[in-house]
């Protein structure tokens, strides 16, 4: 029994001994908020997204003003009836008003969805470029771990590679499209 236990222990020992030791961590930090707000193309894309949002807000106001006026007029006509049923003309006005409300709501929702897709597309373009940049900066600076500044308690400036990442992103991503490609229609089966 002792011989077989010794044999099993001897068989397991080489496997454990062959595992390599993990190298010491060489950590660098990057301020991603600063990188994504200060890169040249990022600033341009952020301005384009803000313009899209402003345009949407202006469109909402343009649609809302006549609807409010019409809604008040319809409500006044309904109130004047003192509980009586509206005539065919008023019913037609109510239906037309509701259709305009629904159409305006759908238009605004579609524009909001497009702006959201545009924002996601901007983020994807940035993210696609940052991955290889991280690896390159880590290799150049001798780091084997890269952390976001916001997830650290304290660091020294000597481990901060934000300027390196920002410079590389400005080179690798001279422009960003702030309009997402059209969505493909789902294919029928």
């Amino acid at each position: 029994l002792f011989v077989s236990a010794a044999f099993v222990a001897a068989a397991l020992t080489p496997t454990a001994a062959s595992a390599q030791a993990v190298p010491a961590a060489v950590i660098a930090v990057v301020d991603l908020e600063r990188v994504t707000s200060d890169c040249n193309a990022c600033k341009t894309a952020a301005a384009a997204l803000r313009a899209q949002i402003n345009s949407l807000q202006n469109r909402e106001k343009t649609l809302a003003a006549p609807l409010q006026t019409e809604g008040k007029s319809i409500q006044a006509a309904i109130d004047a009836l003192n509980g009586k049923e509206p005539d065919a003309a008023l019913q037609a006005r109510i239906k037309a008003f509701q259709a305009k409300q629904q159409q305006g709501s759908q238009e605004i929702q579609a524009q909001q969805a497009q702006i959201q897709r545009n924002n996601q597309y901007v983020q994807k373009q940035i993210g696609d470029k940052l991955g290889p940049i991280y690896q390159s900066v880590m290799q150049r600076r001798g780091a084997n771990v890269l952390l976001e500044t916001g997830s650290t308690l304290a660091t020294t400036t000597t481990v901060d590679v934000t300027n390196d990442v920002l410079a590389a992103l400005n080179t690798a991503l001279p422009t960003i499209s702030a309009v997402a490609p059209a969505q493909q229609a789902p294919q029928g089966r």
Side-chain angles (χ1 to χ4, degrees):
L1 192 60
F2 289 114
V3 173
S4 62
F7 180 72
V8 170
L12 293 178
T13 304
T15 305
S18 68
Q20 294 180 339
V22 175
V26 178
I27 300 171
V29 296
V30 62
D31 184 347
L32 282 180
E33 186 176 323
R34 184 173 146 230
V35 167
T36 57
S37 66
D38 288 359
C39 89
N40 298 329
C42 301
K43 289 177 186 177
T44 304
L49 289 172
R50 275 192 303 277
Q52 292 173 17
I53 292 168
N54 290 338
S55 176
L56 172 63
Q57 290 170 342
N58 290 335
R59 182 65 180 148
E60 282 179 306
K61 290 175 186 173
T62 300
L63 290 173
L67 285 173
Q68 284 179 333
T69 303
E70 180 67 10
K72 287 178 184 178
S73 173
I74 290 172
Q75 188 61 50
I78 291 172
D79 291 345
L81 293 173
N82 291 324
K84 296 179 188 172
E85 283 296 312
D87 63 6
L90 183 54
Q91 287 179 2
R93 277 182 65 197
I94 292 170
K95 278 188 174 182
F97 173 76
Q98 290 171 337
K100 286 178 187 176
Q101 261 187 328
Q102 185 176 9
Q103 184 181 16
S105 176
Q106 289 171 344
E107 179 184 335
I108 297 303
Q109 288 174 355
Q111 286 184 10
Q112 287 172 334
Q114 182 62 47
I115 290 170
Q116 186 176 16
R117 279 193 306 276
N118 292 347
N119 185 44
Q120 290 170 344
Y121 185 57
V122 165
Q123 298 306 317
K124 181 184 180 323
Q125 291 171 83
I126 295 168
D128 288 350
K129 292 295 181 180
L130 280 175
I133 289 171
Y134 294 152
Q135 295 301 320
S136 173
V137 168
M138 285 173 58
Q139 185 177 22
R140 196 170 58 251
R141 297 287 291 268
N144 54 18
V145 177
L146 183 62
L147 299 175
E148 208 287 316
T149 303
S151 64
T152 61
L153 296 176
T155 63
T156 65
T157 56
T158 58
V159 297
D160 190 334
V161 296
T162 301
N163 291 334
D164 296 17
V165 172
L166 181 57
L169 185 59
N170 281 333
T171 301
L173 190 63
T175 61
I176 296 176
S177 174
V179 178
Q183 287 185 314
Q184 293 183 352
Q187 295 179 356
R189 289 187 176 212

